[in-house]
Amino acid sequence: MTQQTIRVDLGPRGYDVRVGAGLLAQLGPSLSAMKGVRQAVIITDSRVASIHAAAAVQSVRSAGLDAPVLVFPAGEEHKNLSTFGRLMDSLFALAPAIDRDSLIVALGGGVCGDLAGFVAATALRGLRWVQCPTTLLADVDASVGGKTSVDHPAGKNLIGAFHQPSAVLVDVLALGTLPARQISNGLAECVKHALIADAAGLEFLEAHAADLLAAQPELMARLIAHDVAIKAAVVSADERESGVRSHLNFGHTIGHAIEITVGLDRILHGEAVSLGMLAACRLARWRGLIGEDLVERVARLLAGLNLPVRWGGLDAQAIETAMLHDKKVRSGRIRFILPTGAGRVDVFEDIPAPLVRQAIESLAG
Amino acid sequence: MTQQTIRVDLGPRGYDVRVGAGLLAQLGPSLSAMKGVRQAVIITDSRVASIHAAAAVQSVRSAGLDAPVLVFPAGEEHKNLSTFGRLMDSLFALAPAIDRDSLIVALGGGVCGDLAGFVAATALRGLRWVQCPTTLLADVDASVGGKTSVDHPAGKNLIGAFHQPSAVLVDVLALGTLPARQISNGLAECVKHALIADAAGLEFLEAHAADLLAAQPELMARLIAHDVAIKAAVVSADERESGVRSHLNFGHTIGHAIEITVGLDRILHGEAVSLGMLAACRLARWRGLIGEDLVERVARLLAGLNLPVRWGGLDAQAIETAMLHDKKVRSGRIRFILPTGAGRVDVFEDIPAPLVRQAIESLAG
């Protein structure tokens, strides 16, 4: 399989995302090629550690670098300040002590990237870091943009920083160890990318749904490289999320609120985004931006990718309250990203509350 | 008294430091002049709150902005992740909820600037913030450079971020409420600025020592504006501390280690820096970089500003260990900033350990 490299163009903070098979086993050489790296601190969760840590450590050590491993308990409920503090305790207890020639490797899914990235952003006021995502969701979403964070009881990702990695290595072989539900979870973000910027991508997803669900490596590499390029283009144009980058929040306005309300232990991020995208499509339909055919097409695609198009027991009132607490809300106005066609979205701030309520209620299972 | 404005030139992250009498009472108009600010969350410590918070709140409210106040316990021992977490809890519990039109005001000394600045750097991945320093040390040091942080048991300022403020308001009237020891504490950094970049400033400090210790407002404003300009020039040239900005660490390599070893409850930052500068001067003398006359001149000036030139019971071994844990140490090599003349310093990485030990022992009281 050929390896593909996508440049995320952010001037002095720019970096390469490499997509291919077996990249984890090449971690060591990749790091030793960077200037002045002496030590790679691998941060990973308890689930990923047992599958991938040994290979990563061996590769780093073979390259002549020190490779301590810090493990935190798997699960989004651990992506908080308390786990962050314990990782810092472990980091500063390392011998030899970390310094500015130390680099952080985030080995795992989105939670690991967010958490280890936030450690990298703030340890010694900023260390270099390399992302090695191991889930499809992290491959196509968290691997581009430099967003790092932990959750707070008041909401997801409320505490964090923008801190671009030095490199991202996407090893598609890691997807072979993922449960089917996690593949669908990642495909939700691919549907998002297609709907906001890539009508042809929508057809690709429709045509290859079965092979994608089977995580066929060649196809996965093609999909991931394509999606990373889409996200890289958006992020390059708007690093700090003041303009066009907000399009990436399509499906997330309602989706985030559903995620919090239903509970991170019951619904996956991509599943909540699936529901959020469908609700956004319906808002767009009622607003006259798109036809019923596109709404039905999206619902059919999501269902075909084993993503939910309805959910039992949704609490519409609680979801609305959670939406008002989203950190992207400015002065109490909720911004919706709505489709204006296949592969096109725009920002709307004037969607009436009763319509939003109706869209949420349309998702009830 | 005329108000002076010093520009910290950092391109899109640049900002103004304003120095004058009565600026705290003008906080509200200063904030409402900024684009899209709806709410100013004032973060301050329990000591400063009782002196300055009421005036700040009144000014902000008079300008039509919401002005909640979050208070943390005074003292450097509270500049840690635990206080940070509690401030975040309070911040996210505010009603109406904070959003990207909320701004943080850091009202207090260096601890408050570091801590509230780190809250601003990481809440919602970065809010705007305004620094209102209330100590001479914070006026001339922490007010420029965008360094924010909390301490960790393993060392000072180990967790933090670079996050430039939108503006800094230095009200020299606030110095009238400071104890004499705190004035000397700030003057140590002024000596540092003079020694690294400003031979004429050294003469100014020598000529006006008595009036400076009395915190005479006109003189203070002149000194602060002058020192802010020196630091702004250094920081503008090197925002992320990869080159010339390291000169600002003059006196801090040994000073930081003394501060940790003696204990933050017993020695003030400027006092430790006073000792550290004198030790660095002696290293420079032994290395043949400067003459004994400059060492004696510095010792005389420090003593004249009521700063320590020796300290009882210093543990040289513990200080050396602490130095090796400093976050600025790269691959185990300690970098010393040593004077090469009055108003000139350079970086040295090859100072033999026995010489360092001798310099520390020369400070024993």
Side-chain angles (χ1 to χ4, degrees), chain A residues 99 101 124 158 329-331, chain B residues 99 101 124 152 158 330-331:
Chain A
D99 60 23
D101 293 332
L124 310 188
L158 291 185
V329 172
R330 271 188 183 268
S331 301
Chain B
D99 61 25
D101 293 332
L124 310 189
H152 183 273
L158 291 184
R330 269 189 184 268
S331 300

Side-chain angles (χ1 to χ4, degrees), chain A residues 46-59:
Chain A
S46 50
R47 196 188 60 80
V48 174
S50 62
I51 308 173
H52 297 297
V57 167
Q58 189 183 19
S59 170

Side-chain angles (χ1 to χ4, degrees), chain A residues 13 36 38 81 84-85 88-90 92-94 97-101 114 118 121-126 128 146-149 152-154 157-163 240-241 324-333, chain B residues 13 36 38 81 84-85 88-90 92-94 97-101 114 118 121-126 128 146-149 152-154 157-163 240-241 324-333:
Chain A
R13 288 179 303 284
R38 176 183 57 80
L81 269 187
F84 170 80
M88 284 294 187
D89 293 344
S90 308
F92 293 123
L94 290 175
I98 63 154
D99 60 23
R100 291 177 179 180
D101 293 332
D114 285 357
F118 190 47
T122 56
L124 310 188
R125 290 204 191 92
R128 287 176 288 179
K147 284 187 176 182
T148 74
S149 58
H152 183 273
N157 301 317
L158 291 185
I159 302 172
F162 285 91
H163 187 55
R240 306 287 298 194
E241 202 171 56
L324 282 166
H325 275 84
D326 193 282
K327 64 183 172 308
K328 296 191 184 71
V329 172
R330 271 188 183 268
S331 301
R333 290 194 311 267
Chain B
R13 288 178 303 285
R38 176 184 56 82
L81 270 188
F84 170 79
M88 283 295 188
D89 293 343
S90 307
F92 293 123
L94 290 175
I98 63 155
D99 61 25
R100 291 177 177 178
D101 293 332
D114 286 357
F118 190 46
T122 56
L124 310 189
R125 291 203 190 92
R128 287 177 287 179
K147 282 187 178 181
T148 73
S149 58
H152 183 273
N157 300 318
L158 291 184
I159 302 172
F162 286 90
H163 187 56
R240 306 286 298 194
E241 201 171 55
L324 281 168
H325 275 84
D326 193 282
K327 67 182 169 309
K328 295 189 185 71
V329 172
R330 269 189 184 268
S331 300
R333 292 191 311 267

Side-chain angles (χ1 to χ4, degrees), chain B residues 199-364:
Chain B
L202 209 55
E203 289 169 29
F204 178 87
L205 292 168
E206 290 168 327
H208 298 286
D211 285 343
L212 290 169
L213 287 171
Q216 200 277 319
E218 287 277 359
L219 199 65
M220 278 293 156
R222 193 173 146 196
L223 176 72
I224 293 166
H226 180 77
D227 274 64
V228 164
I230 291 177
K231 182 155 186 190
V234 174
V235 168
S236 297
D238 177 21
E239 184 179 359
R240 306 286 298 194
E241 201 171 55
S242 49
V244 69
R245 188 164 173 180
S246 69
H247 291 181
L248 293 170
N249 293 317
F250 171 61
H252 284 61
T253 315
I254 296 177
H256 253 165
I258 291 177
E259 202 173 355
I260 292 166
T261 313
V262 171
L264 301 172
D265 52 333
R266 293 183 51 219
I267 194 166
L268 298 179
H269 178 74
E271 293 169 348
V273 169
S274 175
L275 296 166
M277 288 192 289
L278 192 56
C281 287
R282 286 184 180 135
L283 285 175
R285 167 80 184 104
W286 298 334
R287 176 72 182 248
L289 302 172
I290 59 170
E292 183 62 28
D293 54 330
L294 184 53
V295 182
E296 282 173 16
R297 188 180 168 194
V298 171
R300 208 160 42 235
L301 174 59
L302 293 171
L305 296 172
N306 292 341
L307 286 161
V309 293
R310 60 187 67 80
W311 198 270
L314 282 186
D315 178 346
Q317 180 60 55
I319 291 167
E320 283 179 291
T321 305
M323 284 169 66
L324 281 168
H325 275 84
D326 193 282
K327 67 182 169 309
K328 295 189 185 71
V329 172
R330 269 189 184 268
S331 300
R333 292 191 311 267
I334 299 179
R335 294 156 62 98
F336 285 95
I337 318 298
L338 302 184
T340 56
R344 278 205 320 271
V345 290
D346 216 333
V347 182
F348 298 84
E349 293 200 341
D350 58 350
I351 306 298
L355 222 58
V356 175
R357 167 67 73 112
Q358 198 179 327
I360 296 169
E361 287 173 347
S362 79
L363 302 170

